Amino acid sequence: MTHSTNFLRLLSLLIFIVLLALIPRYAQPYTIISLNSIFMYIVLTVSWAMFSGPTHYISLASAAFFGLGIYVSAILGDKLPLLVVIGFGGLISSLLALLVGLSSLRLRGMYFTIFTFGLSELIRHSVLWWEVNETGTVGRWVIAVDNTTVYYVMLAILLITLVVTYIIKHSKYGLALLSIGESEEAADHIGINVNALKIIIFAVGTFFMGATGAIMATRWSYIDPSIAFNPLFSFMPVLMAIFGGVGQIFGQVLGAAVLTLLADLLLTKLPYYYMLLYGVILIIVILFLPKGLVGLKEEVKLWLRGMKQRYENT
Amino acid sequence: MNDRVKYFKLIACIILLVFFTTFPFTAFSQTKDKIRIGTAISLSGPYAPGAGMTQIPNYNMWVEEVNAKGGLLIKKLNKRLPVELITYDDKSDIGTAVKLVEKLILEDKVDLLLPPWGTAMHFAIAPVVTKYGYPVMGPTVSSEKLREIAHKVPYFFGILNMPREQGAALADLLEELEVKKVALIYVADAYGIEWTGKVAPDLGLKKMDVVILKSYPLDTKDLSPLLKTIKAAEVDAVLCMSYPNDTFLITKQAKELGLNPKLFYLGVGVAFPVYKQMFGGPNAVEGIMGAGAWNPRVPYPGAKEYFERHVKRWKTEPDRWGSAFAYASLQILEQAIEKVGSIDRKKIRDCIATQTFPTVIGPVRFEGGFNVQSPGEIGQWQKGEFEVVAAKEKRTAKPIFPKPSWP
Amino acid sequence: MSLTLLLDILIGGLMMGGLYALIAVGLSLQYGVARVLNVSHGEFIMLGAFATYSLYILFGMNPLLSLVVSGPFIFIVGFLIHRTLFKRLKRLSPTMDAFEGSSLLASFGLLFIIQNVALLIWGSDVKGYSYLSKPVNFFGAVYAANRLVALLFAILIGIIFYYFLKRTRVGKAIRAAAQDVTTAQLMGVNIHFVLGLCFGLGALMAGIAGSLTSMMFEITPLIGFPYTIIAIIAVVLGGLGNILGSLIGGFILGLIGNIVMYIHPGLSLIAYYLIFLLLLLIKPTGILGK
């Protein structure tokens, strides 16, 4: 890779970011709202994949961390400045993640996955029970923040998440995570502190989930446990990552962006069929694109080559 | 991966981004030859049954009736403009609902909005419609919390009766019927919590003994343990602040367990026409009381005709609570537009806030954003019709007490 | 504590437990043998419920009789789904872990599809009918007649299935495959047929459970997923891959749920999850797991 190509790549990336930053100025007003959702799902997907991607420990607890951020916003939103609340949301989610990580160290594979799911649901029902019987309410109001501020905060969180995941991936820790995914015993044997690494990376990812929850809560103005800890926030990042291609950051981003846009499109154009189409597309991708969308190019190439050979043979 | 390819990919993304964000796709359809009304409502998800019963048929029927006349009368343009209704599915999810309402306002640029279903949804969109200045009347929101924030959301009106009045009416009724021991259970959701929060103290004030007071989860599958406990307590009245799913569940299980209190009151759902069929016919629900009080015999002009039109159009009766309120809110909207003479949303809002409107639920007037014409109203199924038994002045029939045994 | 109350809690718990056991065994067949953690399991329950409802409303067919009609249909649907979707996925997956992951996702896709189809066919409002909706006196405690019938039926199905597993050739093949798929294949078992059979049987169990629930509860396209959760908990409780364990797990959950419900209705789900999580931390292989 030459220096000039490197420079060009960086420059175009910068232009792209600047354009995104200027969107509130020149774009249609609804675009900000649309992009907010997309950014949110990209962050959730990428931060999920930070840990679950290379290690193959599929976590279904994203909703718990996201929801925690939402509740931090609901409870502290009117008492502290916005950025502090967001930081807090991230921090508390990370703390929860540390606890979860420590307690589930012995669990592998499917057991880990259903453990995380059970935990997320336990939190949801416990918060609900507490709110109903102790606080005497179900929902909470969140201080509203204008859409442009939300957009900039989300954009910032998105960029930071991408930078962090890129750094981790291309560092020795990224390699270590991959080796844990291949064979945890072997990784342990060659001296990687498997437990520490798992817990720390898990907590790093969940920080961004919590921060995102804290800012997105301001968009909804009214939240309750079913909204905040909706299991869909746990499933969708997994689906999106695998749909786009969990091995590459670009795949994760693409999967989140495409599926979010697809859902929006289907929801407004075909309200009675969108779930059906969503499911069909999901199955088609799983069947024919095992590497996700990023594998599409390769699959098409292979398919074309196959067609060409067959044509030449006849 | 080839670097040059990556570079071009990026440029392509940038161009696409600029295009999609700046191109005003919807500007092309903006000729003023019709009125576009948008609604994001639950077509799927747990709120769908309620929405599909109470609001959606009334929205659609009203639009059809208006268009049959040629449209809404816009005096300033000296003509009628037909109405186009745009319906989105909010999937019973608040985030989606908020986003879709903003889409309707900002992208589809609708002239007016109609509300979604349920207290939580109304809470969520009240600030949004106020921010963009769209007057909305909520027929399926009943929460005292709304009173607390009403001053912050002047574009939002609650037309349905509120827990404060409903609780009082229920307590008065129980007092009149000399009920002494009460069991009060409620769904663990905003609706149940608030209603119980109003009714329980009222009952206490009237020296009634609330021996059981318990909440149950929203998606409960089985309440027989709770109902058995209530049966053992031998109370005079069983009050359930329930949502449609649990209303049906409780009624069914009470029948199966032989729980037969002298007074049986349930919340949302009792007023649904399907309620009088699903337990084996109208006999089965004889004497059961529920939230809401409206039937085609109420003395308001247009009530009976509305009922008949609904049956003719949808082959099913409107429900005896929210339906009429939803339809009334549309009548008010139509009358307000006529009075104002145009689609000036601010003027329409002011008109709704100050004037009195004749509707199928009576003359409606809003004070501080809330309908003061329909105070506490309780109904009771008698011989296949949902009679108004409270408030006392509005009765269409005397309450049956005690409730006859299950057939 | 009076005998009546004790009986109440016990029998009430067994009633729900019977249903949960049925559902859990169904999922166990699908996961333990075919290795598909089918999150759309609950949707088959929902389909069974709607099928019975429709047959009752349209033809006045006795709900128990309708099983004869809807049962084979749901079985065939399940079998075909396995043949077309999961068999192909298995072929494409390099490792068992990869297959488990991709089949989990595929079953999500199925969940979306089936729910939407049900929404289109039956609509979103609440449906229900009245069958045997009378109180029955049982040693002083009162139960709904339809629940007793459901419990008896579930036990009947359980016994039939037990004999099927123990006494028939196909049953033996299933048990072999449940122990070790590769060895079973080596021993001459037509493995793909057996896997499809198990998946279909799992769907059948769900469908039967759904038909039984339709007598007792209301039906909407959304009722499926909560049952799936309970099935997963029961299967883990009993030991992943152990069919008898899932049966026991289902009964235990039913009992515990009922007991907790007498304390406070809102706590039963929390109790389920707590047990689930503690079990995973202490003995993840479950009660009967290896």
Side-chain angles (χ1 to χ4, degrees):
Chain A
M1 181 144 52
T2 64
H3 284 292
S4 56
T5 331
N6 231 358
F7 174 69
L8 274 172
R9 280 180 65 196
L10 227 58
L11 184 66
S12 19
L13 211 61
L14 228 63
I15 296 177
F16 193 54
I17 295 174
V18 167
L19 275 171
L20 279 177
L22 287 177
I23 276 187
R25 288 295 175 78
Y26 67 83
Q28 300 281 299
Y30 184 67
T31 312
I32 305 182
I33 295 168
S34 204
L35 282 173
N36 269 336
S37 285
I38 298 179
F39 290 172
M40 176 182 97
Y41 276 110
I42 295 180
V43 171
L44 284 177
T45 306
V46 171
S47 42
W48 172 84
M50 228 185 259
F51 170 74
S52 295
T55 62
H56 301 309
Y57 274 86
I58 298 188
S59 152
L60 285 179
S62 308
F65 306 113
F66 184 66
L68 213 59
I70 292 179
Y71 264 85
V72 165
S73 198
I75 297 175
L76 296 175
D78 52 353
K79 305 189 180 64
L80 295 169
L82 183 65
L83 290 175
V84 175
V85 172
I86 294 173
F88 239 66
L91 218 64
I92 298 196
S93 297
S94 287
L95 279 164
L96 178 67
L98 285 172
L99 277 160
V100 173
L102 278 165
S103 54
S104 63
L105 279 174
R106 288 199 310 155
L107 296 172
R108 302 269 182 277
M110 189 57 82
Y111 291 111
F112 176 78
T113 303
I114 48 184
F115 178 81
T116 54
F117 179 73
L119 193 73
S120 183
E121 288 288 276
L122 179 67
I123 292 178
R124 173 160 79 96
H125 285 104
S126 304
V127 172
L128 179 64
W129 194 86
W130 179 270
E131 292 277 78
V132 169
N133 295 297
E134 300 294 323
T135 325
T137 169
V138 155
R140 282 175 187 264
W141 296 92
V142 185
I143 297 288
V145 171
D146 70 285
N147 284 327
T148 314
T149 313
V150 174
Y151 178 80
Y152 281 125
V153 171
M154 266 319 300
L155 183 60
I157 296 179
L158 173 67
L159 292 172
I160 298 176
T161 310
L162 288 173
V163 166
V164 168
T165 200
Y166 185 84
I167 292 177
I168 293 179
K169 186 165 191 216
H170 292 266
S171 72
K172 61 177 180 177
Y173 300 113
L175 277 171
L177 285 171
L178 278 170
S179 53
I180 293 178
E182 300 248 338
S183 166
E184 197 158 334
E185 276 91 53
D188 195 35
H189 278 297
I190 59 175
I192 298 176
N193 190 343
V194 168
N195 287 341
L197 193 61
K198 284 199 300 190
I199 295 175
I200 292 177
I201 300 293
F202 190 50
V204 170
T206 56
F207 177 84
F208 298 108
M209 292 183 192
T212 307
I215 185 66
M216 287 309 284
T218 64
R219 284 260 313 138
W220 301 331
S221 64
Y222 177 79
I223 57 113
D224 70 26
S226 307
I227 298 165
F229 299 106
N230 188 345
L232 258 138
F233 292 127
S234 290
F235 300 141
M236 292 313 283
V238 183
L239 291 179
M240 291 172 171
I242 299 186
F243 179 81
V246 66
Q248 305 174 30
I249 299 180
F250 182 66
Q252 298 155 16
V253 172
L254 192 67
V258 169
L259 278 183
T260 309
L261 278 169
L262 192 68
D264 268 2
L265 196 73
L266 290 176
L267 192 60
T268 47
K269 296 283 181 270
L270 295 165
Y272 293 103
Y273 299 97
Y274 71 88
M275 264 177 91
L276 184 71
L277 292 168
Y278 215 75
V280 167
I281 290 174
L282 205 64
I283 290 183
I284 290 179
V285 168
I286 291 173
L287 273 181
F288 298 110
L289 293 173
K291 289 218 190 72
L293 277 187
V294 290
L296 183 64
K297 216 185 74 166
E298 272 174 54
E299 293 280 334
V300 172
K301 254 203 251 177
L302 281 167
W303 185 77
L304 282 174
R305 205 178 295 162
M307 295 300 285
K308 200 170 130 200
Q309 274 177 349
R310 204 157 345 139
Y311 182 67
E312 279 169 0
N313 283 346
T314 51
Chain B
M1 158 102 65
N2 194 320
D3 294 330
R4 186 111 51 93
V5 176
K6 256 194 187 161
Y7 174 61
F8 281 131
K9 258 209 261 183
L10 203 58
I11 296 289
C13 284
I14 294 175
I15 295 178
L16 279 170
L17 180 74
V18 176
F19 176 70
F20 276 107
T21 52
T22 48
F23 199 72
F25 283 101
T26 53
F28 293 134
S29 49
Q30 272 349 303
T31 42
K32 210 48 195 162
D33 59 349
K34 56 181 166 181
I35 310 243
R36 303 168 85 227
I37 303 188
T39 178
I41 196 165
S42 306
L43 300 174
S44 65
Y47 294 158
M53 173 78 252
T54 306
Q55 283 161 277
I56 295 175
N58 287 298
Y59 290 177
N60 286 315
M61 187 168 86
W62 177 78
V63 169
E64 286 171 8
E65 288 170 2
V66 163
N67 284 341
K69 289 189 281 193
L72 287 170
L73 179 59
I74 311 294
K75 291 211 180 104
K76 289 242 165 74
L77 298 174
N78 230 336
K79 62 175 174 171
R80 287 184 176 268
L81 289 180
V83 172
E84 181 194 348
L85 182 66
I86 303 175
T87 309
Y88 288 150
D89 180 7
D90 62 25
K91 299 197 270 184
S92 304
D93 173 57
I94 289 208
T96 311
V98 170
K99 209 165 113 178
L100 287 172
V101 168
E102 285 175 316
K103 182 175 198 299
L104 284 166
I105 295 175
L106 295 169
E107 206 168 71
D108 301 315
K109 296 199 179 31
V110 294
D111 299 297
L112 293 163
L113 280 174
L114 295 177
W117 186 91
T119 301
M121 286 288 187
H122 283 98
F123 277 165
I125 64 148
V128 181
V129 301
T130 300
K131 176 173 169 186
Y132 296 103
Y134 278 73
V136 160
M137 288 170 275
T140 52
V141 57
S142 184
S143 160
E144 291 302 318
K145 278 224 161 55
L146 208 52
R147 257 190 248 270
E148 292 169 29
I149 62 146
H151 58 282
K152 290 199 217 161
V153 287
Y155 275 79
F156 186 80
F157 299 90
I159 189 173
L160 196 65
N161 17 42
M162 300 282 274
R164 196 169 69 190
E165 287 88 24
Q166 287 287 63
L170 190 56
D172 282 339
L173 183 64
L174 260 60
E175 185 183 48
E176 183 193 331
L177 297 172
E178 291 174 17
V179 164
K180 290 284 176 295
K181 273 169 78 176
V182 179
L184 177 52
I185 62 176
Y186 57 104
V187 65
D189 197 44
Y191 171 84
I193 296 173
E194 287 213 29
W195 278 59
T196 307
K198 291 287 162 282
V199 171
D202 280 346
L203 294 175
L205 278 172
K206 296 194 190 287
K207 306 273 193 297
M208 282 178 253
D209 195 9
V210 183
V211 298
I212 295 179
L213 182 65
K214 276 242 169 87
S215 76
Y216 56 84
L218 183 58
D219 47 8
T220 187
K221 291 241 162 311
D222 184 8
L223 283 169
S224 36
L226 189 55
L227 294 173
K228 285 189 189 177
T229 318
I230 294 178
K231 189 174 179 195
E234 287 180 350
V235 294
D236 301 317
V238 175
L239 310 177
C240 318
M241 306 301 157
S242 53
Y243 260 167
N245 281 346
D246 15 301
T247 302
F248 300 149
L249 181 69
I250 295 172
T251 310
K252 187 176 195 140
Q253 294 197 314
K255 180 165 181 278
E256 288 168 357
L257 297 171
L259 169 61
N260 207 50
K262 293 194 216 141
L263 189 144
F264 201 9
Y265 170 92
L266 300 118
V268 187
V270 181
F272 287 10
V274 64
Y275 187 78
K276 60 173 165 164
Q277 296 305 335
M278 67 190 330
F279 306 107
N283 269 357
V285 299
E286 182 80 10
I288 297 185
M289 296 189 190
W294 185 91
N295 62 53
R297 292 200 332 269
V298 292
Y300 308 125
K304 182 154 165 294
E305 291 78 17
Y306 158 67
F307 184 88
E308 283 160 7
R309 282 202 309 275
H310 194 288
V311 172
K312 185 161 171 222
R313 176 68 181 88
W314 303 112
K315 311 278 182 292
T316 174
E317 303 170 359
D319 78 37
R320 301 300 197 275
W321 195 25
S323 279
F325 282 85
Y327 190 77
S329 70
L330 295 165
Q331 289 182 300
I332 296 174
L333 188 64
E334 186 176 355
Q335 292 172 33
I337 294 176
E338 263 181 56
K339 286 192 184 171
V340 166
S342 72
I343 308 284
D344 180 328
R345 288 186 284 273
K346 171 134 197 348
K347 293 213 182 104
I348 294 176
R349 185 255 151 215
D350 292 334
C351 181
I352 296 176
T354 50
Q355 306 272 337
T356 306
F357 301 90
T359 70
V360 295
I361 60 171
V364 173
R365 190 171 58 84
F366 292 98
E367 235 174 65
F370 295 102
N371 172 13
V372 292
Q373 149 66 10
S374 317
E377 288 170 349
I378 314 254
Q380 185 181 41
W381 283 109
Q382 296 180 8
K383 299 209 183 359
E385 187 45 83
F386 202 55
E387 304 287 354
V388 182
V389 295
K392 212 159 163 192
E393 320 81 66
K394 299 200 176 234
R395 270 190 193 154
T396 59
K398 278 190 63 181
I400 296 178
F401 183 81
K403 178 183 111 58
S405 308
W406 300 106
Chain C
M1 185 178 306
S2 68
L3 182 67
T4 318
L5 188 61
L6 194 64
L7 228 81
D8 243 345
I9 297 179
L10 210 67
I11 300 193
L14 285 176
M15 283 180 181
M16 281 320 283
L19 217 60
Y20 293 163
L22 204 59
I23 300 170
V25 168
L27 186 68
S28 193
L29 278 170
Q30 293 176 335
Y31 185 67
V33 186
R35 303 296 269 177
V36 177
L37 190 61
N38 182 17
V39 292
S40 68
H41 190 55
E43 309 313 306
F44 289 93
I45 300 176
M46 180 260 291
L47 284 178
F50 267 123
T52 302
Y53 166 81
S54 292
L55 288 170
Y56 181 84
I57 293 289
L58 292 172
F59 304 116
M61 192 184 292
N62 183 313
L64 295 172
L65 203 64
S66 73
L67 283 170
V68 178
V69 176
S70 60
F73 184 67
I74 291 188
F75 170 77
I76 293 174
V77 170
F79 186 78
L80 285 174
I81 288 180
H82 185 269
R83 281 291 229 188
T84 52
L85 179 61
F86 293 109
K87 186 167 134 187
R88 197 199 148 115
L89 265 182
K90 188 117 190 262
R91 217 172 0 109
L92 292 172
S93 303
T95 67
M96 189 45 97
D97 264 349
F99 172 66
E100 282 195 15
S102 59
S103 60
L104 178 68
L105 286 176
S107 61
F108 263 116
L110 275 177
L111 191 155
F112 291 143
I113 295 176
I114 299 178
Q115 246 187 51
N116 205 146
V117 168
L119 202 67
L120 288 169
I121 300 179
W122 287 286
S124 61
D125 39 302
V126 181
K127 305 247 183 331
Y129 61 91
S130 207
Y131 179 71
L132 291 184
S133 208
K134 293 182 215 48
V136 162
N137 224 304
F138 203 66
F139 293 111
V142 182
Y143 303 100
N146 50 36
R147 287 215 180 193
L148 274 171
V149 169
L151 174 63
L152 290 170
F153 216 79
I155 295 177
L156 184 69
I157 303 274
I159 296 176
I160 295 177
F161 187 63
Y162 176 75
Y163 273 105
F164 169 72
L165 276 186
K166 274 268 149 62
R167 296 295 169 89
T168 68
R169 267 193 72 204
V170 184
K172 217 181 269 189
I174 293 180
R175 279 187 293 133
Q179 282 205 335
D180 190 322
V181 170
T182 335
T183 316
Q185 207 165 358
L186 289 172
M187 293 282 123
V189 171
N190 182 352
I191 205 63
H192 285 295
F193 178 73
V194 170
L195 291 183
L197 192 70
C198 283
F199 197 83
L201 281 175
L204 177 66
M205 298 266 174
I208 295 177
S211 296
L212 293 175
T213 62
S214 72
M215 296 194 294
M216 311 186 289
F217 304 119
E218 264 56 48
I219 316 166
T220 75
L222 296 173
I223 58 172
F225 196 65
Y227 286 118
T228 305
I229 302 287
I230 292 178
I232 294 177
I233 297 179
V235 166
V236 171
L237 193 58
L240 274 173
N242 190 309
I243 298 178
L244 182 62
S246 315
L247 188 100
I248 298 177
F251 274 111
I252 293 180
L253 275 182
L255 273 165
I256 295 178
N258 213 41
I259 295 173
V260 175
M261 247 198 263
Y262 271 93
I263 305 174
H264 197 296
L267 287 175
S268 45
L269 266 175
I270 295 183
Y272 286 163
Y273 283 116
L274 267 173
I275 296 168
F276 179 63
L277 293 172
L278 284 169
L279 190 74
L280 278 175
L281 290 177
I282 303 172
K283 187 170 193 284
T285 46
I287 298 178
L288 291 186
K290 358 178 170 124

